[in-house]
Amino acid sequence: MERKNGVAATILRVFLGITFLIHGLSKFQGGIENTVGFFESLGLPGFTAYMVALIELIGGIAVILGLGTRIISILFVIVLAVAIVKVKLAAGFLGNGQMAGYELDLALMAISIYLAITKRSLLALDNVLLRSKKAE
């Protein structure tokens, strides 16, 4: 049973990492200045656009590799919670025809919470790094 849970956690971890990596890349490829302007239009400081984009980009890569998954998953939860409250909540769960709803954000948040509280997944660098620290 433990192995099945490890496999499931690995699948969720890689999916979450790829999703955030792509979102982070798109913020830079679309012009980070556009993202800064969007954040400012929401009443958020412009520098937070850089923070979010870097959390998504670097965090996505790290989660794919299984490096710092618990901490980064918590950062993802914070990013998603702010996105839901500041952007998506008004559109509703499924959206309003002009904007997507927050259903995907909630699903990603659930995955992030699961990864933050679960034991390590398979094929993760944390397994190697934490094992070597225990041996010292």
Side-chain angles (χ1 to χ4, degrees):
M1 186 67 152
E2 176 112 9
R3 181 143 175 94
K4 286 182 185 179
N5 290 341
V7 170
T10 301
I11 291 167
L12 291 173
R13 190 190 85 230
V14 172
F15 169 77
L16 185 72
I18 290 170
T19 302
F20 273 96
L21 171 63
I22 291 169
H23 278 261
L25 272 175
S26 72
K27 284 179 177 58
F28 286 108
Q29 289 176 337
I32 192 70
E33 299 81 22
N34 294 333
T35 306
V36 169
F38 177 67
F39 274 52
E40 289 173 342
S41 76
L42 297 171
L44 297 169
F47 74 89
T48 58
Y50 289 95
M51 289 174 42
V52 168
L54 288 172
I55 288 170
E56 291 177 349
L57 184 68
I58 296 169
I61 293 168
V63 168
I64 291 168
L65 297 173
L67 187 61
T69 301
R70 287 183 170 176
I71 294 167
I72 294 167
S73 293
I74 293 167
L75 292 174
F76 287 168
V77 168
I78 294 166
V79 167
L80 291 163
V82 172
I84 290 170
V85 171
K86 292 295 262 180
V87 181
K88 305 273 185 99
L89 198 59
F93 186 75
L94 294 176
N96 58 13
Q98 298 169 334
M99 169 186 253
Y102 56 88
E103 73 281 0
L104 176 61
D105 300 78
L106 279 180
L108 294 173
M109 188 182 287
I111 294 169
S112 297
I113 291 169
Y114 175 78
L115 292 173
I117 62 176
T118 193
K119 291 184 179 180
R120 293 188 287 263
S121 60
L122 302 174
L123 305 173
L125 285 177
D126 280 343
N127 296 340
V128 175
L129 297 175
L130 293 176
R131 185 180 307 141
S132 67
K133 285 184 180 181
K134 286 180 182 177
E136 292 176 0

